Structure formats: structure tokens, C-alpha cells
Amino acid sequence: MIQKLLVAMLLGASPVLAQQQQPTFDAGNLKVTWGVVTNGHEGKMATLSGFTIVNKGKTAFPASGWELYYNFVRPVKPAAINGVSLSHVNGDLYKITPTEGFKSIAPGDSVKIDLVSDAWVLHQSDAPAGLYLVWNSDVNKGYAIKNFSVTPSTKKEQLLRFSGDNIAPISAGKVYSQNALIQNIAEEKLVKVFPTPKDYKETSGTFNFNPNTAINTDPSFKNEAALFANEMSAVFGKPLTVHENGVGNGITLRKNTLPENAYTLEVTTDGITIAASSPVGIFYGLQSLKTLMPGQAWVGKQKSVAVTNVNVTDEPRFGYRSFMLDMARNFHSVGDVKKVIDVMALYKLNTLHFHFSDDEGWRIEMPSLPELTSVGAKRGHGAANTMLLPSYGSGPDANNDQGTGFYTKAQFIDILKYAQARHITVIPEIESPGHARAAVKSMDARYAHYHALGNEAKATEYLLKDLNEQSKYASVQAFTDNVMDAGLPSTYRFIETVVKDFVDIYKEAGVPLNILHLGGDELPHGAWTGSPAVAKLMKEKNLASVDDVWYYYYQQVYNILQKHNIQLYGWEEVGMRKTKLDGKSTSIPNPDFANKNVQVDVWNNILGGGAEDLAYRLANAGYKVVLSCVTNNYFDMAYEKSWDEPGFYWGGYIDVDKPFYLIPYDYFKNSKVDAYGAPLNKNIFIGKDRLTDFGKSNIVGIQGVIFSETTKTTEDIEYKLLPRLLGLAERAWAQDPAWAQEKDEVKAEQMYQEAWSHLANIIGKRELPRLANYSGGYLYRIPTAGAVVKDGQVFANVQFPGLTVRYTVDGKEPSAKSPTYIAPLNAKGKVKFRVFDSKGRGGRVIEIDAGAPVQVQTAPRP
């Protein structure tokens, strides 16, 4: 009995409390609302907001015996107020506990609980989520508060960061002003292959592509031919026929001596010929053929499709064209991943950065370490060492598909093979040594299990924290226990075991594993300072400071990967070394790894943040640099400043134009606004390092990024990914545009606007109609309309010509059957506009008062 009690205590259970009777009040009878009172609270960078709790039941909600938990991305100030105590649990999880001053809530009554949090709240995505109630009588069971709502912010003090913030939320007039710069270009004048080929020429006539068109292929390209033939079922209702070594007037796939990724595409009235030296070149030629077909062809069951006659010679500008999807913060299904791969392949991206592990989840089955998924892939409210804490609103129930989930070994192999067939490399990211809470807690659970059995060797075999750890720290996401201990030999045993499992999985899949991402970002200040194991390591290795432990850690990681001939890849911090300049702490490129083929993602170029030139400094120093710039390529940022627009905005607002106007070798030149959305003072670039010719050789490519804190559903992924991915694809594949090379600023801006208009027309008239049906159809973002009142008339426009603007004047929401806006309206009163795509799916509604003229704003895009 004593042994059973000890095991229960080790696992965090409380057998005495579990036997107590639970209160009879039904948590389903609580209605909770939350809203912002004001940003800039008390003149500080803080937000005052509040919960209102209403008792909808027939009995009183008790004055004690409970705690209310919630997730909130803004750190909440601990406080005792209104009869409750506000406290931090871990990460983004907080709780409200009644004190002696709290009164029971009678039926029909309510109580207000104020919160003061850091920074500001500008978007609904910032709001608390995942509320649940826990009774003291059963501390391992949570009850979700399903009747919870967020009150939209509408007042100035709610929508600005602080009193001096002069960047207002996006308005219909500002959108109109931005859209007015976009010219409507006739579709026949658009380049019909996307991304833009290196050399493109249209010739007269068309090829009649139909269900009976056969593919005649060199045997080297039979896999690419078969994949394309099956994909054409979506167009014609049946696959095409493939003949190896066949001849005819259909589609011919021919071998030549071009560089590996290059291809030629020739379409004549008599047939289509794609030539390349390699399967990947042929694959890219076939993707170009897809985009050459009109977007409407993907509606399906076509009797024939007219394809414009062209001559194309093409190859990519950058060899590394990547997209990173985070499935650790919130889990995304195999189906979601495959749809991402499909659209990446269509637009010739070739790398999927698989962010499968982080503080909030470990998402791939590791045969050698089953605890990583039995514990680390589950989120909910339960006994210690059984699951991770709820995060980002995932709630108390571990049986949810947002916080809980992982890819089995078989599923991951399926993903690898699916990507390989589309010439996409999947690079897993093992987050370490920070951002590692899921791994740390999984190994804690392993320790507890084997310790209870008396097997200390197995208990400590893969332990990731010193049992006597006393370090005090808080990560960027407010975790206090998310760092692997660099002083423990078991930490390196863990890393090597996971690496070996990946090597075996890739081998079984028949896919090469040449590069692995080992994280490296955001090690919190204070980590390792209270670790006896680190103190011992520092003494043994004669390390001067805890900072030096970082370099020791990554040298060991580098050595592990070298054993398997795997390239080390990490976030920018992997390439940095802390030192002092004039007695002050500073960071420089770490000479230890320079010119050792170490690849780094550089995200931090926040304009005004001081590290604008970091990517160039690292490239100049010899690191292989991937431009993962937050200012242009973080697709988890919101499109624009609007309460209803989902996503974060700490790196700025990012619409399709941001990845498009990135100049990889000189992004200072075309930077337009700061992180707040204000016009950029380019004096911030004075004294910053420029990219040398040697450095240019180390810019290996460009990457788009979606971290998933606010990305929870299929729609969330596709909304944030598309159409922004098209701007990324163009910049990663197409040759350096003339507007980026033009030295005259006025002329360069004029040339850029012409290029931007061209892309906007391609997106609206060709690619969105394709994506509406391609791979089952994508739920891309449909922009809001722009609108102004001028000279008594209402004018409207749209970001992507080809989409339809509809309106109402009777107060109802516009539908796909509402009148189409064609010319300025003479309407009075309130007019509502909404943009629709080719399938009748609409974006958000905007409303304008025809009786109150709106001044047209001329400001740069946020």
C-alpha cells in the first residue's frame, strides 16, 4: 500500500482529494466574456482588459473550491484584486483563484475580473482562449468553459498600442489608396507561366490539350510522367496515357544536357515538348505546363483545354526555396501537410522545413523513445508526467486534435515519400537546447517511471535536466523549464538517439537524409546558471562562462551529425558568439563554425531593432544563410492592422507584396515601413554591414515561415499561406528583377509598381481561380475591398483584378448573388462591400457611409 501511494505521489496524483465529492455546480452554466478596456494602461506598455463571468445556472456558483485556467499570449501581472488571485502557471497558461474576499455568484448575477498584461492587444488573435474550470476536489480534471466569447475592440484606446501610436487600423480608404496603384492588365498580356521563367516568349496559336493527349517519355522520367498523368484526372476526369520511348504529337518528355534544375518547354499547335537532363528539371517543366493552363481548367471534366504556344527556357535563381510549417504549437494532420506539399510543388519550392518539436509538442514517433509521443504529443489538464499543459487554447481535454497528435513512423514515411515524388526535401527540426519542454517533460516521465521501478540506469539514461537544477529563467513564451541541460551526458545521448532514429526512418523510406535542423533559438537568460552538471562541465572543460557552454553544446551536436555525414542547420543563434565591445555585451559571427558548411535561418531583421544586417554579417563570415526574414516572410504575421485579421504582428504586417518586394542581396534598398507600419527612416541602415560578393555566394535561398500559435485549423494554414506563397515563390525562383537593380530611386519605384501590378493580375486572374480547385481547393485569403466617397459617389476597388466586388445598400451582408460593383455608385447612407472569388467564396465585409466622405490616404503599405 505504501509503495502504491509513493508511485501515485511520483505521478502527481492525490488519492485523498480524488475521493472527495465534487461540487454539484455544472461548469456549463458559466458564461464568460472578455474584452479590452484600454491599451497604454496608466501610460505604460500594458493593457487593461477583463473577464465577465455570468452564472446562467439555477444554483449559486461557489465562493471557493475552484480555479479558472486560461491561455493568454500576453504576460499577466500577478495580482490580488476583486476577491481573486491572478497567477502564472507556465508558458501561456494562467489561473484565477478565489480568495477569502470572493463572494459566490448568485443565479443571473455576474462578476468582473480585471487583468493587466504586458505590451498591447490589437487583434482578436491576442485574446485569451481555452478557459476551463478545475475543482479543488479533483485537481486532475478540467471542465471546458464552452460559452466563452471575445468582445471586439472598436474604440481608439483599444486599437492603438499606446497614446503616441499614430498608425491607425486599416481603413477602407487606405485599402482603396493602396489598390489604386494596381493597374488592370488584360489577361492576354500576362506571362502565363508562374513563377516567371528566365526566358519566355509567346508564339501564335494554341495547342488543344484533351483527355486523349498521350505522354511520350524517356524512361528516366517515367515517375514524373506518371504523376502528371494522374494529376490530369482533376482536369479531364481521367488520367492521361503514358508511353515510354513513344513518339507522337502529344506531350514529349525528352532528355538533354541542361543544368540539373533547368528545363525547356515548347508548346506548338502540334504538341508539347519538355526537355531536361534530370527528373527534377522535367518535373519543373511539368509544373510550368500546369500554370500555362488556364486556372479555370481545374474545375474539372474538361473536354479540351487551349494552351498558349510558348518557348520557355528556365532555371531557378536560388537552389534552396523553402517553407517552414510548425506543427508543434498546434498539430496539423497528414492531409494538411500533403496539401501544403502540393502547392509548394506547383510553385517549385523544394524544401519543407518540418518544425515538429517545441515546448508545446513533439509530433513524430521515435521508436527508441516512445515517451516523446505518449507524453510529449498530448496536451491537457491531468496528472503530472502524463501530458503537457494546455497551450494556445487547446483546453483541458487531451483528446483534442489541436494540442494533441503526432505522426506515426508509417505516416511520416508516407509524407517523406509523397514529398520526394514531388522533388521536395523534408528537413526535420529537433528544437534544442531551448524550446525543448516537450522533450524535457517526456524524459521526466521516463525518469519517474523507471525510478519508481528502482532502475536508476534507465531512469537517467536520457534525462534532459539535472535533478538538482536551480536555474531561474523565463523563455520568450514564458516557460520556466524548457531547456535541455548541456552539462549532462544524457542530453547528448538523447540527441544522438533521435538522430539515429531519423537516419533509420529515412533509410526505410528510401529518402536521403543529408541535413538536420537542431534549433538553437532563444535560449533564455539565466538558463544553466543553477545547474550542478553545467558547473561541473565548466570546471572540467575550463569554460569561462555559461555563454561558453553554448559553443560546447553545439560542437557536440556538430560532432554527432558529422558521424552520419549530416549537415548542421539551425537558427541564427547557432552562428553567433557573445563577446564584449568597450565593456558592453555584443554578438559576433562565431568563428568556430564559419566556413564549416553550417547553415542558418536568419529571421531577425526587424526594422529599427538593430540587427537589420545580421543575415549579411553571417553570410560574409562564411555561414550558409537562408533568408527567413520576419519583416517579409513570416506568414504567421497578420496581413494588415485590423481587429478581425488573424495572426501576430510583432515583426510587422505582411501582405503578398512583402515577400515579393524582398531584394535578397540588398533588402535595405526596398524596405518601406517599420515594424509598426510607419514610413521607414532609412538612417537605421547607416553603419550596417552590406553583403559582399563572397557573402552573396553564401545566400543559399529564401524561406517562408508559419509558426502555429494562432494557426489551428486547415483554413488557418491556407489563409496565412496563400496567396503570400506566390510572392515568396516568385522571389525565390525568378531571376533578379530589373526594378531591384535600378539605381534611380524614382524609376526603380515606378518599375516596381508595374511589376507588382503584373503579379496582382496574375494572382487574381490566373492563380486564384486555379487554387480554388487545385488539390481539392484551397481556402486562401480573399482581400477586403477598398472604398471611398468622392464628389458624392462611392468608389470601390480590389487588390487582385479578376476577383469580383459585390455590394448592398439595404444593410444586409453581400452574398454571391448581390449586385456586382462595376462603376461608381450614387448611393446614399451605408454601403457594404465584399470581394468574391470564382467559386463564390467571400472575404470580410467592409462598410462605408456614403453620407460621410472619407479622405483618401496616401501612405505606404503596412
Side-chain angles (χ1 to χ4, degrees), residues 242-420:
V242 177
H243 301 297
E244 287 189 36
N245 291 321
V247 294
N249 292 334
I251 300 172
T252 299
L253 307 183
R254 181 178 296 160
K255 197 165 184 125
N256 65 11
T257 57
L258 287 171
E260 182 180 10
N261 291 287
Y263 70 92
T264 61
L265 167 63
E266 182 181 19
V267 180
T268 69
T269 304
D270 295 326
I272 298 172
T273 301
I274 300 174
S277 65
S278 66
V280 66
I282 286 292
F283 181 80
Y284 293 148
L286 289 166
Q287 304 318 299
S288 290
L289 176 56
K290 286 186 201 172
T291 62
L292 188 59
M293 299 164 63
Q296 292 80 1
W298 299 90
V299 173
K301 296 185 179 179
Q302 305 292 322
K303 293 182 179 179
S304 66
V305 175
V307 179
T308 301
N309 290 352
V310 295
N311 281 313
V312 173
T313 301
D314 199 13
E315 63 182 330
R317 182 184 183 192
F318 291 104
Y320 191 93
R321 305 176 304 281
S322 179
F323 171 67
M324 191 212 85
L325 179 62
D326 167 18
M327 55 281 294
R329 266 55 181 276
N330 285 301
F331 185 64
H332 305 299
S333 70
V334 172
D336 286 343
V337 173
K338 285 185 174 181
K339 283 196 71 180
V340 168
I341 290 171
D342 285 344
V343 76
M344 288 175 62
L346 176 64
Y347 297 124
K348 305 186 183 79
L349 273 67
N350 66 352
T351 305
L352 175 60
H353 177 165
F354 215 70
H355 190 92
F356 76 91
S357 73
D358 213 299
D359 297 321
E360 301 89 351
W362 182 287
R363 305 301 187 185
I364 298 178
E365 177 186 10
M366 294 284 106
S368 299
L369 297 168
E371 297 87 357
L372 287 170
T373 45
S374 64
V375 175
K378 288 166 46 178
R379 289 212 304 259
H381 187 93
N385 295 321
T386 61
M387 64 188 74
L388 303 180
L389 298 169
S391 297
Y392 307 117
S394 57
D397 186 358
N399 296 315
N400 70 84
D401 57 8
Q402 175 193 325
T404 294
F406 67 94
Y407 310 107
T408 66
K409 175 184 169 183
Q411 287 174 324
F412 186 57
I413 286 174
D414 179 43
I415 289 170
L416 290 176
K417 290 181 176 180
Y418 193 86
Q420 184 188 44

Side-chain angles (χ1 to χ4, degrees), residues 791-809:
D791 300 326
Q793 290 185 307
V794 182
F795 291 73
N797 60 14
V798 66
Q799 182 181 32
F800 302 127
L803 297 180
T804 303
V805 179
R806 297 184 183 275
Y807 68 93
T808 57
V809 293

